[in-house]
């Protein structure tokens, strides 16, 4: 922008992104990054055996096991989410910036010069 170039930008806000991280895929990616042993088992234990239910107008649903998602409001949750989407931009030619569940793609856009008419 300082060089007065146009910048094309696309923003992605991944809806309910923290809720949709598949635990098994996340654990596989962590292992591929060299995280194993006690640390991987600790994370697996932290993610497993979670249950949830919904309350609407004082009526509760039945309890359901949680198979995906990372706990929001935690320090580790956003980090695990970023590990899960870290390879999102491997095949892109644009520059990529990621922060939590928002991803920004951008690149410098130069207009093709139009031949002058005489």
């Amino acid at each position: 922008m300082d060089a007065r170039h146009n910048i094309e930008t696309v923003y992605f806000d991944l809806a309910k992104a923290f809720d949709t991280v598949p635990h098994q895929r996340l654990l596989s990616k962590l292992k591929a990054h060299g995280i194993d042993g006690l640390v991987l088992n600790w994370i697996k234990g932290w993610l497993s055996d979670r249950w949830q239910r919904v309350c609407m107008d004082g009526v509760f649903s039945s309890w359901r096991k949680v198979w995906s998602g990372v706990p929001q409001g935690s320090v580790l949750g956003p980090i695990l989410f970023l590990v899960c989407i870290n390879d999102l931009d491997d095949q892109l030619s644009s520059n990529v910036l990621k922060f939590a569940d928002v991803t920004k793609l951008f690149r410098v856009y130069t207009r093709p010069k139009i031949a002058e008419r005489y």
Side-chain angles (χ1 to χ4, degrees), residues 5 8 11 28 30 36 50 61 78 84-85 87-88 109 114-115:
H5 293 292
E8 293 180 321
Y11 287 89
S28 295
L30 288 170
D36 59 1
R50 292 183 176 272
S61 69
C84 197
I85 67 162
D87 57 357
L88 181 72
Y109 173 75
I114 300 173

Side-chain angles (χ1 to χ4, degrees), residues 53-84:
R53 68 179 177 169
V54 177
C55 177
M56 189 170 192
D57 294 328
V59 178
F60 289 91
S61 69
S62 59
W63 285 98
R64 302 280 185 182
K65 189 158 179 66
V66 177
W67 298 101
S68 64
V70 292
Q72 296 180 44
S74 67
V75 173
L76 193 55
I79 294 168
L80 293 176
F81 174 75
L82 288 175
V83 167
C84 197

